[in-house]
Amino acid sequence: MEHTTEHHEHAGGGTKEIIKVTVILTVLTIVELILGFWMIDIPLDSQSLRLGIKGTIVILMMAKAFYIVAYFMHLKHELKNLIMTIVVPLALFIWFITAFLYDGNSFRNLRNTYDPHFKEQSTIKVEKKEHGTTEKHEAAPVKEHGGH
Amino acid sequence: MATTATATTTKLWGGGKSPFNVEYGKVMMWYFLMSDAFTFGAFLISYGTIRFSTNGWPDPNEVFRSFPFAPEGVHAPLVFVSIMTFILIISSVTMVLAVQAGHNMDKKRVVNNLIWTIIGGAAFLGCQAWEWNHLHHEGAWWGSNPFLNHDGTASSTNFTNYFFTITGFHGFHVFSGVIINIIMLIMTLADKFEQRGHYLMIEKAGLYWHFVDLVWVFVFTCFYLI
């Protein structure tokens, strides 16, 4: 055996660790799904509760991402130089996500304030085919595009 | 490879040793994956921005409610997609096991685990093909959205456009990953890595495959859960 590859002895990475991470990922996914099933029955009006659950799901998602990158992709056991050269540029995402979502939200608010047509369009209920019995129509000319 | 490196922690850029202590190909794979992460990130952030700028949005539990061989009109949200998620997680695990077997120069275990990974990838692609086909039969496609918003108002085609574009782009990555893994399997069976004396190529394929799983974690959350 003369495989003198330059990196063998990374710390960690044994079968035990793989099993541990597999269990963690499975548990996190199951918790996500439980939250998802729970959210089905929560009415749209209780916005803050829905938002809280969604936030929790996002945090669990980040945890899953961490375990995949750190252990499956082995990044945690690499040298700090390599870790930094990968992770630091990705930190840009923090700004991207904040800025763009804020912008999207602001655009919606502006349109709801200054564009009556946009606002009205989003309040017209469309008749559902099967079990749409209690639909109420607010504005007179209901454009029935899209739903039937 | 002249480095005897068990690189000590002090003065990483002090010279005299490899600052990253991994082979060139692996660093380049990481950089490629980083660029790919930005591509997917751009897609998903664009989706998020549009969703934030819209008053209503379809309820994923209404849209993704079916699974294969289910009777018409079944209401089983999250079931099928959780199966897809677990398929991808398990195939990721078998890939780690293949990489680990490669470290130990254990050809037989590399082959076994690679085969399981390929099967998992193919199963995932099959699931996705079924789902796309099902949605297409319901009238959903790029530029057409048969679903209503959660509150019963008319929805725009943004929903289906983003769904098909992003899951399609991810599915294409899964497809490439399966092809790469098949090539790895053929090379392993042809004793290529035994001749080289190391299985580093499997590690690079593994990085790519885990990245595909990683992206699915985000796609799954953004489209099906939230």
Side-chain angles (χ1 to χ4, degrees), chain A residues 3 5 7 15 37 39-40 78 81 85 104 108 111-112 122 124-126, chain B residues 12-13 19 22 31 52-55 61 77 100 151-153 197-198 200 225:
Chain A
H3 56 103
T5 57
H7 64 134
T15 314
F37 277 114
M39 203 158 65
I40 295 174
E78 304 288 1
N81 285 344
T85 189
R108 180 174 54 106
R111 281 198 292 181
N112 281 336
S122 60
I124 298 170
K125 306 255 184 205
V126 179
Chain B
L12 288 164
W13 296 102
V22 290
Y31 287 163
F52 267 63
S53 70
T54 315
N55 274 328
N61 299 311
Q100 199 198 22
D151 55 2
T153 55
H198 58 74
L200 290 179
L225 280 175

PDB file of all heavy atoms in Angstrom, chain A residues 3 5 7 15 37 39-40 78 81 85 104 108 111-112 122 124-126, chain B residues 12-13 19 22 31 52-55 61 77 100 151-153 197-198 200 225:
ATOM      1  N   HIS A   3      -0.147   4.429  -0.957  1.00  0.00           N
ATOM      2  CA  HIS A   3      -0.971   5.570  -1.342  1.00  0.00           C
ATOM      3  C   HIS A   3      -0.618   6.748  -0.446  1.00  0.00           C
ATOM      4  O   HIS A   3      -1.208   6.991   0.574  1.00  0.00           O
ATOM      5  CB  HIS A   3      -2.459   5.245  -1.282  1.00  0.00           C
ATOM      6  CG  HIS A   3      -2.941   4.759   0.041  1.00  0.00           C
ATOM      7  ND1 HIS A   3      -3.644   5.546   0.911  1.00  0.00           N
ATOM      8  CD2 HIS A   3      -2.799   3.567   0.643  1.00  0.00           C
ATOM      9  CE1 HIS A   3      -3.932   4.847   1.990  1.00  0.00           C
ATOM     10  NE2 HIS A   3      -3.427   3.646   1.848  1.00  0.00           N
ATOM     11  N   THR A   5      -1.231   9.800  -0.318  1.00  0.00           N
ATOM     12  CA  THR A   5      -1.995  11.016  -0.575  1.00  0.00           C
ATOM     13  C   THR A   5      -1.708  12.002   0.541  1.00  0.00           C
ATOM     14  O   THR A   5      -1.434  11.609   1.661  1.00  0.00           O
ATOM     15  CB  THR A   5      -3.491  10.722  -0.592  1.00  0.00           C
ATOM     16  OG1 THR A   5      -3.822  10.140   0.653  1.00  0.00           O
ATOM     17  CG2 THR A   5      -3.830   9.774  -1.696  1.00  0.00           C
ATOM     18  N   HIS A   7      -3.516  14.036   2.177  1.00  0.00           N
ATOM     19  CA  HIS A   7      -4.369  14.276   3.337  1.00  0.00           C
ATOM     20  C   HIS A   7      -5.107  12.996   3.693  1.00  0.00           C
ATOM     21  O   HIS A   7      -6.022  12.584   3.021  1.00  0.00           O
ATOM     22  CB  HIS A   7      -5.350  15.413   3.053  1.00  0.00           C
ATOM     23  CG  HIS A   7      -6.312  15.104   1.973  1.00  0.00           C
ATOM     24  ND1 HIS A   7      -7.654  15.354   2.068  1.00  0.00           N
ATOM     25  CD2 HIS A   7      -6.125  14.522   0.774  1.00  0.00           C
ATOM     26  CE1 HIS A   7      -8.233  14.969   0.969  1.00  0.00           C
ATOM     27  NE2 HIS A   7      -7.337  14.469   0.168  1.00  0.00           N
ATOM     28  N   THR A  15     -17.472   6.197  10.763  1.00  0.00           N
ATOM     29  CA  THR A  15     -18.835   5.724  10.516  1.00  0.00           C
ATOM     30  C   THR A  15     -19.793   6.216  11.585  1.00  0.00           C
ATOM     31  O   THR A  15     -20.955   6.526  11.310  1.00  0.00           O
ATOM     32  CB  THR A  15     -18.843   4.183  10.489  1.00  0.00           C
ATOM     33  OG1 THR A  15     -17.761   3.748   9.678  1.00  0.00           O
ATOM     34  CG2 THR A  15     -20.150   3.661   9.933  1.00  0.00           C
ATOM     35  N   PHE A  37     -47.321  19.976   8.679  1.00  0.00           N
ATOM     36  CA  PHE A  37     -48.669  19.419   8.831  1.00  0.00           C
ATOM     37  C   PHE A  37     -49.505  20.264   9.785  1.00  0.00           C
ATOM     38  O   PHE A  37     -50.695  20.465   9.580  1.00  0.00           O
ATOM     39  CB  PHE A  37     -48.591  17.974   9.350  1.00  0.00           C
ATOM     40  CG  PHE A  37     -48.359  16.975   8.265  1.00  0.00           C
ATOM     41  CD1 PHE A  37     -47.183  16.253   8.198  1.00  0.00           C
ATOM     42  CD2 PHE A  37     -49.330  16.767   7.287  1.00  0.00           C
ATOM     43  CE1 PHE A  37     -46.965  15.336   7.186  1.00  0.00           C
ATOM     44  CE2 PHE A  37     -49.117  15.846   6.276  1.00  0.00           C
ATOM     45  CZ  PHE A  37     -47.932  15.129   6.224  1.00  0.00           C
ATOM     46  N   MET A  39     -49.246  23.399  10.224  1.00  0.00           N
ATOM     47  CA  MET A  39     -49.590  24.679   9.620  1.00  0.00           C
ATOM     48  C   MET A  39     -50.806  24.555   8.688  1.00  0.00           C
ATOM     49  O   MET A  39     -51.503  25.541   8.438  1.00  0.00           O
ATOM     50  CB  MET A  39     -48.396  25.244   8.861  1.00  0.00           C
ATOM     51  CG  MET A  39     -48.458  26.739   8.692  1.00  0.00           C
ATOM     52  SD  MET A  39     -46.850  27.446   8.402  1.00  0.00           S
ATOM     53  CE  MET A  39     -46.433  26.729   6.837  1.00  0.00           C
ATOM     54  N   ILE A  40     -51.073  23.339   8.176  1.00  0.00           N
ATOM     55  CA  ILE A  40     -52.200  23.163   7.259  1.00  0.00           C
ATOM     56  C   ILE A  40     -53.500  23.608   7.920  1.00  0.00           C
ATOM     57  O   ILE A  40     -54.354  24.228   7.289  1.00  0.00           O
ATOM     58  CB  ILE A  40     -52.308  21.677   6.834  1.00  0.00           C
ATOM     59  CG1 ILE A  40     -51.075  21.292   6.023  1.00  0.00           C
ATOM     60  CG2 ILE A  40     -53.570  21.436   6.018  1.00  0.00           C
ATOM     61  CD1 ILE A  40     -51.019  19.829   5.672  1.00  0.00           C
ATOM     62  N   GLU A  78     -11.751  20.440   7.403  1.00  0.00           N
ATOM     63  CA  GLU A  78     -10.691  21.017   6.561  1.00  0.00           C
ATOM     64  C   GLU A  78      -9.941  22.088   7.350  1.00  0.00           C
ATOM     65  O   GLU A  78     -10.342  22.476   8.446  1.00  0.00           O
ATOM     66  CB  GLU A  78     -11.297  21.636   5.295  1.00  0.00           C
ATOM     67  CG  GLU A  78     -12.143  20.693   4.460  1.00  0.00           C
ATOM     68  CD  GLU A  78     -11.328  19.638   3.726  1.00  0.00           C
ATOM     69  OE1 GLU A  78     -10.089  19.615   3.873  1.00  0.00           O
ATOM     70  OE2 GLU A  78     -11.942  18.818   3.031  1.00  0.00           O
ATOM     71  N   ASN A  81      -8.244  27.891   6.603  1.00  0.00           N
ATOM     72  CA  ASN A  81      -8.117  28.676   5.369  1.00  0.00           C
ATOM     73  C   ASN A  81      -9.179  28.299   4.358  1.00  0.00           C
ATOM     74  O   ASN A  81      -9.828  29.153   3.755  1.00  0.00           O
ATOM     75  CB  ASN A  81      -6.743  28.406   4.730  1.00  0.00           C
ATOM     76  CG  ASN A  81      -5.643  29.096   5.479  1.00  0.00           C
ATOM     77  OD1 ASN A  81      -5.901  29.982   6.270  1.00  0.00           O
ATOM     78  ND2 ASN A  81      -4.422  28.677   5.238  1.00  0.00           N
ATOM     79  N   THR A  85     -12.391  30.540   2.960  1.00  0.00           N
ATOM     80  CA  THR A  85     -12.495  30.930   1.557  1.00  0.00           C
ATOM     81  C   THR A  85     -13.841  30.506   0.964  1.00  0.00           C
ATOM     82  O   THR A  85     -14.308  31.053  -0.027  1.00  0.00           O
ATOM     83  CB  THR A  85     -11.319  30.374   0.728  1.00  0.00           C
ATOM     84  OG1 THR A  85     -11.365  30.963  -0.554  1.00  0.00           O
ATOM     85  CG2 THR A  85     -11.388  28.906   0.567  1.00  0.00           C
ATOM     86  N   GLY A 104     -38.993  43.643  -2.080  1.00  0.00           N
ATOM     87  CA  GLY A 104     -40.240  43.058  -2.554  1.00  0.00           C
ATOM     88  C   GLY A 104     -41.408  43.484  -1.695  1.00  0.00           C
ATOM     89  O   GLY A 104     -42.468  43.876  -2.196  1.00  0.00           O
ATOM     90  N   ARG A 108     -44.771  45.796  -2.660  1.00  0.00           N
ATOM     91  CA  ARG A 108     -46.160  45.396  -2.438  1.00  0.00           C
ATOM     92  C   ARG A 108     -46.912  46.486  -1.667  1.00  0.00           C
ATOM     93  O   ARG A 108     -48.022  46.867  -2.032  1.00  0.00           O
ATOM     94  CB  ARG A 108     -46.203  44.090  -1.664  1.00  0.00           C
ATOM     95  CG  ARG A 108     -47.606  43.596  -1.375  1.00  0.00           C
ATOM     96  CD  ARG A 108     -47.551  42.237  -0.753  1.00  0.00           C
ATOM     97  NE  ARG A 108     -46.671  42.267   0.423  1.00  0.00           N
ATOM     98  CZ  ARG A 108     -47.103  42.241   1.664  1.00  0.00           C
ATOM     99  NH1 ARG A 108     -48.382  42.175   1.904  1.00  0.00           N
ATOM    100  NH2 ARG A 108     -46.258  42.294   2.671  1.00  0.00           N
ATOM    101  N   ARG A 111     -47.660  49.455  -3.896  1.00  0.00           N
ATOM    102  CA  ARG A 111     -48.740  49.212  -4.849  1.00  0.00           C
ATOM    103  C   ARG A 111     -50.081  49.154  -4.147  1.00  0.00           C
ATOM    104  O   ARG A 111     -51.085  49.648  -4.662  1.00  0.00           O
ATOM    105  CB  ARG A 111     -48.474  47.914  -5.626  1.00  0.00           C
ATOM    106  CG  ARG A 111     -47.462  48.120  -6.731  1.00  0.00           C
ATOM    107  CD  ARG A 111     -47.524  47.001  -7.742  1.00  0.00           C
ATOM    108  NE  ARG A 111     -47.066  45.744  -7.155  1.00  0.00           N
ATOM    109  CZ  ARG A 111     -47.004  44.612  -7.849  1.00  0.00           C
ATOM    110  NH1 ARG A 111     -47.371  44.580  -9.107  1.00  0.00           N
ATOM    111  NH2 ARG A 111     -46.569  43.507  -7.279  1.00  0.00           N
ATOM    112  N   ASN A 112     -50.113  48.548  -2.969  1.00  0.00           N
ATOM    113  CA  ASN A 112     -51.387  48.508  -2.242  1.00  0.00           C
ATOM    114  C   ASN A 112     -51.847  49.905  -1.862  1.00  0.00           C
ATOM    115  O   ASN A 112     -53.043  50.177  -1.788  1.00  0.00           O
ATOM    116  CB  ASN A 112     -51.238  47.651  -0.984  1.00  0.00           C
ATOM    117  CG  ASN A 112     -51.305  46.175  -1.305  1.00  0.00           C
ATOM    118  OD1 ASN A 112     -51.869  45.771  -2.310  1.00  0.00           O
ATOM    119  ND2 ASN A 112     -50.705  45.357  -0.448  1.00  0.00           N
ATOM    120  N   SER A 122     -56.549  41.851  -6.060  1.00  0.00           N
ATOM    121  CA  SER A 122     -56.160  40.825  -5.097  1.00  0.00           C
ATOM    122  C   SER A 122     -57.221  40.604  -4.024  1.00  0.00           C
ATOM    123  O   SER A 122     -56.980  39.887  -3.066  1.00  0.00           O
ATOM    124  CB  SER A 122     -54.824  41.189  -4.451  1.00  0.00           C
ATOM    125  OG  SER A 122     -54.945  42.421  -3.791  1.00  0.00           O
ATOM    126  N   ILE A 124     -60.581  40.085  -5.244  1.00  0.00           N
ATOM    127  CA  ILE A 124     -61.687  39.426  -5.936  1.00  0.00           C
ATOM    128  C   ILE A 124     -61.540  37.922  -5.804  1.00  0.00           C
ATOM    129  O   ILE A 124     -60.542  37.344  -6.215  1.00  0.00           O
ATOM    130  CB  ILE A 124     -61.695  39.806  -7.424  1.00  0.00           C
ATOM    131  CG1 ILE A 124     -61.894  41.306  -7.569  1.00  0.00           C
ATOM    132  CG2 ILE A 124     -62.797  39.059  -8.148  1.00  0.00           C
ATOM    133  CD1 ILE A 124     -61.679  41.792  -8.973  1.00  0.00           C
ATOM    134  N   LYS A 125     -62.537  37.305  -5.238  1.00  0.00           N
ATOM    135  CA  LYS A 125     -62.497  35.851  -5.109  1.00  0.00           C
ATOM    136  C   LYS A 125     -62.923  35.225  -6.424  1.00  0.00           C
ATOM    137  O   LYS A 125     -63.833  35.710  -7.105  1.00  0.00           O
ATOM    138  CB  LYS A 125     -63.445  35.390  -4.007  1.00  0.00           C
ATOM    139  CG  LYS A 125     -63.203  36.079  -2.685  1.00  0.00           C
ATOM    140  CD  LYS A 125     -62.522  35.163  -1.710  1.00  0.00           C
ATOM    141  CE  LYS A 125     -62.397  35.854  -0.375  1.00  0.00           C
ATOM    142  NZ  LYS A 125     -61.318  35.344   0.431  1.00  0.00           N
ATOM    143  N   VAL A 126     -62.298  34.135  -6.763  1.00  0.00           N
ATOM    144  CA  VAL A 126     -62.665  33.412  -7.970  1.00  0.00           C
ATOM    145  C   VAL A 126     -63.509  32.216  -7.555  1.00  0.00           C
ATOM    146  O   VAL A 126     -63.217  31.550  -6.570  1.00  0.00           O
ATOM    147  CB  VAL A 126     -61.406  32.941  -8.714  1.00  0.00           C
ATOM    148  CG1 VAL A 126     -61.788  32.161  -9.954  1.00  0.00           C
ATOM    149  CG2 VAL A 126     -60.543  34.134  -9.071  1.00  0.00           C
TER     150      VAL A 126
ATOM    151  N   LEU B  12      -0.955  29.942   9.310  1.00  0.00           N
ATOM    152  CA  LEU B  12      -1.394  29.165   8.157  1.00  0.00           C
ATOM    153  C   LEU B  12      -0.825  29.695   6.859  1.00  0.00           C
ATOM    154  O   LEU B  12      -0.652  28.957   5.905  1.00  0.00           O
ATOM    155  CB  LEU B  12      -2.926  29.164   8.113  1.00  0.00           C
ATOM    156  CG  LEU B  12      -3.561  28.299   9.198  1.00  0.00           C
ATOM    157  CD1 LEU B  12      -5.030  28.618   9.362  1.00  0.00           C
ATOM    158  CD2 LEU B  12      -3.380  26.829   8.880  1.00  0.00           C
ATOM    159  N   TRP B  13      -0.574  30.992   6.808  1.00  0.00           N
ATOM    160  CA  TRP B  13      -0.016  31.559   5.588  1.00  0.00           C
ATOM    161  C   TRP B  13       1.476  31.812   5.740  1.00  0.00           C
ATOM    162  O   TRP B  13       2.044  32.592   4.974  1.00  0.00           O
ATOM    163  CB  TRP B  13      -0.751  32.851   5.222  1.00  0.00           C
ATOM    164  CG  TRP B  13      -2.181  32.600   4.895  1.00  0.00           C
ATOM    165  CD1 TRP B  13      -3.244  32.828   5.690  1.00  0.00           C
ATOM    166  CD2 TRP B  13      -2.687  32.040   3.693  1.00  0.00           C
ATOM    167  NE1 TRP B  13      -4.395  32.445   5.062  1.00  0.00           N
ATOM    168  CE2 TRP B  13      -4.083  31.966   3.837  1.00  0.00           C
ATOM    169  CE3 TRP B  13      -2.096  31.589   2.503  1.00  0.00           C
ATOM    170  CZ2 TRP B  13      -4.901  31.441   2.829  1.00  0.00           C
ATOM    171  CZ3 TRP B  13      -2.922  31.090   1.511  1.00  0.00           C
ATOM    172  CH2 TRP B  13      -4.312  31.024   1.680  1.00  0.00           C
ATOM    173  N   PRO B  19      -1.387  25.804   2.161  1.00  0.00           N
ATOM    174  CA  PRO B  19      -2.337  26.566   2.975  1.00  0.00           C
ATOM    175  C   PRO B  19      -3.721  25.915   3.075  1.00  0.00           C
ATOM    176  O   PRO B  19      -4.411  26.112   4.053  1.00  0.00           O
ATOM    177  CB  PRO B  19      -2.421  27.911   2.274  1.00  0.00           C
ATOM    178  CG  PRO B  19      -1.960  27.656   0.891  1.00  0.00           C
ATOM    179  CD  PRO B  19      -0.973  26.550   0.976  1.00  0.00           C
ATOM    180  N   VAL B  22      -5.505  20.524   0.596  1.00  0.00           N
ATOM    181  CA  VAL B  22      -6.276  19.574  -0.201  1.00  0.00           C
ATOM    182  C   VAL B  22      -5.767  19.674  -1.625  1.00  0.00           C
ATOM    183  O   VAL B  22      -5.121  20.652  -1.998  1.00  0.00           O
ATOM    184  CB  VAL B  22      -7.789  19.871  -0.193  1.00  0.00           C
ATOM    185  CG1 VAL B  22      -8.395  19.585   1.149  1.00  0.00           C
ATOM    186  CG2 VAL B  22      -8.064  21.291  -0.612  1.00  0.00           C
ATOM    187  N   TYR B  31     -14.924  25.695  -5.373  1.00  0.00           N
ATOM    188  CA  TYR B  31     -15.199  27.000  -5.991  1.00  0.00           C
ATOM    189  C   TYR B  31     -16.336  26.903  -6.989  1.00  0.00           C
ATOM    190  O   TYR B  31     -17.172  27.796  -7.098  1.00  0.00           O
ATOM    191  CB  TYR B  31     -13.922  27.554  -6.652  1.00  0.00           C
ATOM    192  CG  TYR B  31     -12.911  28.041  -5.639  1.00  0.00           C
ATOM    193  CD1 TYR B  31     -11.584  28.244  -5.983  1.00  0.00           C
ATOM    194  CD2 TYR B  31     -13.291  28.286  -4.324  1.00  0.00           C
ATOM    195  CE1 TYR B  31     -10.661  28.688  -5.044  1.00  0.00           C
ATOM    196  CE2 TYR B  31     -12.385  28.718  -3.384  1.00  0.00           C
ATOM    197  CZ  TYR B  31     -11.070  28.911  -3.745  1.00  0.00           C
ATOM    198  OH  TYR B  31     -10.172  29.335  -2.826  1.00  0.00           O
ATOM    199  N   PHE B  52     -42.903  38.118  -2.034  1.00  0.00           N
ATOM    200  CA  PHE B  52     -43.117  39.192  -1.062  1.00  0.00           C
ATOM    201  C   PHE B  52     -43.837  40.384  -1.681  1.00  0.00           C
ATOM    202  O   PHE B  52     -44.471  41.154  -0.977  1.00  0.00           O
ATOM    203  CB  PHE B  52     -41.775  39.665  -0.482  1.00  0.00           C
ATOM    204  CG  PHE B  52     -41.404  38.964   0.795  1.00  0.00           C
ATOM    205  CD1 PHE B  52     -41.184  37.602   0.811  1.00  0.00           C
ATOM    206  CD2 PHE B  52     -41.273  39.664   1.976  1.00  0.00           C
ATOM    207  CE1 PHE B  52     -40.851  36.944   1.980  1.00  0.00           C
ATOM    208  CE2 PHE B  52     -40.939  39.015   3.159  1.00  0.00           C
ATOM    209  CZ  PHE B  52     -40.732  37.660   3.155  1.00  0.00           C
ATOM    210  N   SER B  53     -43.714  40.547  -2.999  1.00  0.00           N
ATOM    211  CA  SER B  53     -44.324  41.719  -3.622  1.00  0.00           C
ATOM    212  C   SER B  53     -45.728  41.418  -4.138  1.00  0.00           C
ATOM    213  O   SER B  53     -46.328  42.236  -4.818  1.00  0.00           O
ATOM    214  CB  SER B  53     -43.444  42.226  -4.766  1.00  0.00           C
ATOM    215  OG  SER B  53     -43.499  41.310  -5.830  1.00  0.00           O
ATOM    216  N   THR B  54     -46.249  40.229  -3.828  1.00  0.00           N
ATOM    217  CA  THR B  54     -47.566  39.831  -4.297  1.00  0.00           C
ATOM    218  C   THR B  54     -48.491  39.666  -3.096  1.00  0.00           C
ATOM    219  O   THR B  54     -48.047  39.239  -2.040  1.00  0.00           O
ATOM    220  CB  THR B  54     -47.473  38.485  -5.052  1.00  0.00           C
ATOM    221  OG1 THR B  54     -46.364  38.533  -5.923  1.00  0.00           O
ATOM    222  CG2 THR B  54     -48.735  38.228  -5.841  1.00  0.00           C
ATOM    223  N   ASN B  55     -49.777  39.996  -3.285  1.00  0.00           N
ATOM    224  CA  ASN B  55     -50.690  39.917  -2.148  1.00  0.00           C
ATOM    225  C   ASN B  55     -51.093  38.495  -1.791  1.00  0.00           C
ATOM    226  O   ASN B  55     -51.233  38.166  -0.629  1.00  0.00           O
ATOM    227  CB  ASN B  55     -51.936  40.741  -2.428  1.00  0.00           C
ATOM    228  CG  ASN B  55     -51.728  42.200  -2.048  1.00  0.00           C
ATOM    229  OD1 ASN B  55     -51.000  42.486  -1.108  1.00  0.00           O
ATOM    230  ND2 ASN B  55     -52.334  43.115  -2.785  1.00  0.00           N
ATOM    231  N   ASN B  61     -50.053  23.134   0.090  1.00  0.00           N
ATOM    232  CA  ASN B  61     -50.736  21.920   0.520  1.00  0.00           C
ATOM    233  C   ASN B  61     -51.922  21.574  -0.369  1.00  0.00           C
ATOM    234  O   ASN B  61     -52.398  20.445  -0.366  1.00  0.00           O
ATOM    235  CB  ASN B  61     -51.211  22.071   1.962  1.00  0.00           C
ATOM    236  CG  ASN B  61     -50.040  22.286   2.897  1.00  0.00           C
ATOM    237  OD1 ASN B  61     -49.064  21.551   2.831  1.00  0.00           O
ATOM    238  ND2 ASN B  61     -50.122  23.304   3.722  1.00  0.00           N
ATOM    239  N   PRO B  77     -51.302  16.149   1.435  1.00  0.00           N
ATOM    240  CA  PRO B  77     -50.210  17.100   1.279  1.00  0.00           C
ATOM    241  C   PRO B  77     -48.939  16.601   1.957  1.00  0.00           C
ATOM    242  O   PRO B  77     -49.012  15.868   2.947  1.00  0.00           O
ATOM    243  CB  PRO B  77     -50.736  18.355   1.970  1.00  0.00           C
ATOM    244  CG  PRO B  77     -51.733  17.859   2.939  1.00  0.00           C
ATOM    245  CD  PRO B  77     -52.363  16.670   2.298  1.00  0.00           C
ATOM    246  N   GLN B 100     -15.943   7.256   2.177  1.00  0.00           N
ATOM    247  CA  GLN B 100     -15.200   6.684   3.294  1.00  0.00           C
ATOM    248  C   GLN B 100     -14.537   5.363   2.894  1.00  0.00           C
ATOM    249  O   GLN B 100     -13.368   5.119   3.208  1.00  0.00           O
ATOM    250  CB  GLN B 100     -16.167   6.459   4.456  1.00  0.00           C
ATOM    251  CG  GLN B 100     -15.470   6.300   5.772  1.00  0.00           C
ATOM    252  CD  GLN B 100     -16.391   5.662   6.793  1.00  0.00           C
ATOM    253  OE1 GLN B 100     -17.363   5.000   6.433  1.00  0.00           O
ATOM    254  NE2 GLN B 100     -16.092   5.874   8.048  1.00  0.00           N
ATOM    255  N   ASP B 151     -56.252  32.441  -0.356  1.00  0.00           N
ATOM    256  CA  ASP B 151     -57.489  33.083   0.094  1.00  0.00           C
ATOM    257  C   ASP B 151     -58.586  33.046  -0.972  1.00  0.00           C
ATOM    258  O   ASP B 151     -59.594  33.729  -0.854  1.00  0.00           O
ATOM    259  CB  ASP B 151     -57.207  34.524   0.530  1.00  0.00           C
ATOM    260  CG  ASP B 151     -56.532  35.320  -0.576  1.00  0.00           C
ATOM    261  OD1 ASP B 151     -56.321  34.753  -1.671  1.00  0.00           O
ATOM    262  OD2 ASP B 151     -56.223  36.496  -0.364  1.00  0.00           O
ATOM    263  N   GLY B 152     -58.387  32.274  -2.040  1.00  0.00           N
ATOM    264  CA  GLY B 152     -59.422  32.122  -3.046  1.00  0.00           C
ATOM    265  C   GLY B 152     -59.392  33.147  -4.158  1.00  0.00           C
ATOM    266  O   GLY B 152     -60.263  33.152  -5.014  1.00  0.00           O
ATOM    267  N   THR B 153     -58.403  34.036  -4.157  1.00  0.00           N
ATOM    268  CA  THR B 153     -58.303  35.012  -5.240  1.00  0.00           C
ATOM    269  C   THR B 153     -57.471  34.429  -6.380  1.00  0.00           C
ATOM    270  O   THR B 153     -56.800  33.414  -6.216  1.00  0.00           O
ATOM    271  CB  THR B 153     -57.636  36.305  -4.743  1.00  0.00           C
ATOM    272  OG1 THR B 153     -56.380  35.966  -4.158  1.00  0.00           O
ATOM    273  CG2 THR B 153     -58.488  36.980  -3.688  1.00  0.00           C
ATOM    274  N   GLY B 197      -3.855   4.686  -6.966  1.00  0.00           N
ATOM    275  CA  GLY B 197      -3.462   4.581  -5.562  1.00  0.00           C
ATOM    276  C   GLY B 197      -4.327   5.400  -4.634  1.00  0.00           C
ATOM    277  O   GLY B 197      -4.063   5.477  -3.449  1.00  0.00           O
ATOM    278  N   HIS B 198      -5.331   6.068  -5.172  1.00  0.00           N
ATOM    279  CA  HIS B 198      -6.239   6.809  -4.289  1.00  0.00           C
ATOM    280  C   HIS B 198      -7.598   6.992  -4.958  1.00  0.00           C
ATOM    281  O   HIS B 198      -7.725   6.910  -6.180  1.00  0.00           O
ATOM    282  CB  HIS B 198      -5.656   8.170  -3.918  1.00  0.00           C
ATOM    283  CG  HIS B 198      -5.356   9.036  -5.092  1.00  0.00           C
ATOM    284  ND1 HIS B 198      -6.334   9.659  -5.824  1.00  0.00           N
ATOM    285  CD2 HIS B 198      -4.179   9.346  -5.692  1.00  0.00           C
ATOM    286  CE1 HIS B 198      -5.772  10.351  -6.805  1.00  0.00           C
ATOM    287  NE2 HIS B 198      -4.473  10.154  -6.752  1.00  0.00           N
ATOM    288  N   LEU B 200      -9.510   9.816  -4.695  1.00  0.00           N
ATOM    289  CA  LEU B 200      -9.867  11.225  -4.504  1.00  0.00           C
ATOM    290  C   LEU B 200     -10.973  11.686  -5.452  1.00  0.00           C
ATOM    291  O   LEU B 200     -11.753  12.575  -5.130  1.00  0.00           O
ATOM    292  CB  LEU B 200      -8.624  12.102  -4.702  1.00  0.00           C
ATOM    293  CG  LEU B 200      -7.573  11.983  -3.596  1.00  0.00           C
ATOM    294  CD1 LEU B 200      -6.383  12.862  -3.889  1.00  0.00           C
ATOM    295  CD2 LEU B 200      -8.174  12.355  -2.262  1.00  0.00           C
ATOM    296  N   LEU B 225     -42.938  23.649   1.977  1.00  0.00           N
ATOM    297  CA  LEU B 225     -43.261  23.803   3.391  1.00  0.00           C
ATOM    298  C   LEU B 225     -43.801  25.187   3.725  1.00  0.00           C
ATOM    299  O   LEU B 225     -44.778  25.330   4.447  1.00  0.00           O
ATOM    300  CB  LEU B 225     -42.027  23.530   4.244  1.00  0.00           C
ATOM    301  CG  LEU B 225     -41.701  22.061   4.490  1.00  0.00           C
ATOM    302  CD1 LEU B 225     -40.388  21.944   5.231  1.00  0.00           C
ATOM    303  CD2 LEU B 225     -42.802  21.378   5.277  1.00  0.00           C
TER     304      LEU B 225
END
